[in-house]
Amino acid sequence: MSINWEFIMMTLPLYEKAAWLTLKLAVLGIGASLIIGLLCSIVLYHKTTGLVRLVQAYIELSRNTPLLIQLFFLYYGLTKLGLTLSEHTCAIIGLAFLGGSYMAEAFRAGIQSVSKSQIESGLSIGLSNSQLIRYVILPQAFSVTLPSLGANCIFLLKETSIVGAIAIPELMHITQDLIGMYYQTFESLLMLVAAYLIMLLPLSIFLTWLERKVRYAEFGN
């Protein structure tokens, strides 16, 4: 099978533009999901009255419904309630809503790994709850949580392939359009795979390096 290099060169700018859009959506969605996950884990740690059940309900709803359904509800369902959001806003909210629950579980596992003796030691020297979380719990929990956080970031970056369902010209959407117009299936899919590799491989390498550095710091090496 010969590769149509002329087609690849012609569509390269389209893939470049779509890749930047995909990366932008992923960064915003991941950033928001980290904030949501951290806040939810703190609520679960403190067992805040009235909020624990709400956070637990959110986590179950988010983890047990597909991203595609969530996007359809945001983009099409909310219009019935008089609230219209742009497709980019829906994509970011959808990624954050889905990722926040996974990040919350990752943070919660890290927080629970901190021994009670260290928490009691922090309280005994007069640290407030906020200081305890900031200076004692989160720094230690981060090293335990990092592998899960990294896996979730990669997962959310790959999940951006779903947002094309609401007419966002990201990588998958562009690929489907090009296949439909030019019938160059192999070349289009080749460009799609290459684009995701260019984004995911450096991220994976960086997260592996960061995990190793944090592990060494944890053991004092």
Side-chain angles (χ1 to χ4, degrees):
M1 176 185 294
S2 60
I3 299 177
N4 189 342
W5 293 105
E6 182 179 353
F7 174 80
I8 289 178
M9 295 306 297
M10 180 187 71
T11 58
L12 187 59
L14 293 176
Y15 276 96
E16 182 181 359
K17 183 178 180 180
W20 280 113
L21 176 58
T22 299
L23 196 57
K24 176 184 176 181
L25 294 175
V27 169
L28 293 175
I30 290 171
S33 69
L34 286 170
I35 295 173
I36 293 172
L38 181 58
L39 293 176
C40 289
S41 64
I42 292 174
V43 169
L44 293 175
Y45 170 74
H46 284 301
K47 296 181 174 61
T48 308
T49 305
L51 292 180
V52 172
R53 290 187 179 276
L54 182 63
V55 169
Q56 290 174 339
Y58 154 67
I59 291 175
E60 292 302 320
L61 175 64
S62 173
R63 288 165 62 94
N64 291 289
T65 53
L67 176 59
L68 183 62
I69 303 302
Q70 296 171 10
L71 291 173
F72 280 171
F73 176 78
L74 290 169
Y75 193 63
Y76 299 110
L78 290 183
T79 57
K80 299 296 183 180
L81 303 177
L83 180 60
T84 302
L85 302 175
S86 69
E87 59 271 17
H88 292 81
T89 302
C90 290
I92 295 169
I93 293 175
L95 290 171
F97 184 81
L98 176 66
S101 59
Y102 287 92
M103 297 298 184
E105 290 296 296
F107 279 120
R108 185 173 66 86
I111 291 174
Q112 289 179 344
S113 70
V114 180
S115 63
K116 291 184 178 180
S117 61
Q118 296 194 48
I119 296 175
E120 292 171 354
S121 297
L123 293 173
S124 67
I125 63 175
L127 294 179
S128 64
N129 285 331
S130 60
Q131 290 174 326
L132 189 66
I133 290 177
R134 180 178 178 183
Y135 297 113
V136 178
I137 296 176
L138 287 184
Q140 297 182 72
F142 180 72
S143 62
V144 177
T145 305
L146 185 58
S148 297
L149 294 180
N152 289 338
C153 289
I154 293 174
F155 163 72
L156 289 175
L157 180 53
K158 292 189 290 186
E159 282 295 287
T160 56
S161 61
I162 303 295
V163 303
I166 54 174
I168 295 180
E170 46 75 50
L171 287 168
M172 181 63 74
H173 189 273
I174 289 294
T175 300
Q176 292 174 334
D177 282 351
L178 291 174
I179 292 175
M181 288 187 296
Y182 298 102
Y183 300 99
Q184 299 288 337
T185 304
F186 178 79
E187 287 81 1
S188 299
L189 292 177
L190 180 63
M191 293 289 287
L192 176 65
V193 171
Y196 272 108
L197 276 177
I198 290 172
M199 291 189 296
L200 288 168
L201 193 56
L203 177 60
S204 179
I205 293 173
F206 169 74
L207 290 172
T208 301
W209 172 83
L210 184 60
E211 181 183 344
R212 188 180 301 115
K213 297 294 286 187
V214 170
R215 188 186 304 120
Y216 287 164
E218 180 182 1
F219 290 100
N221 294 324

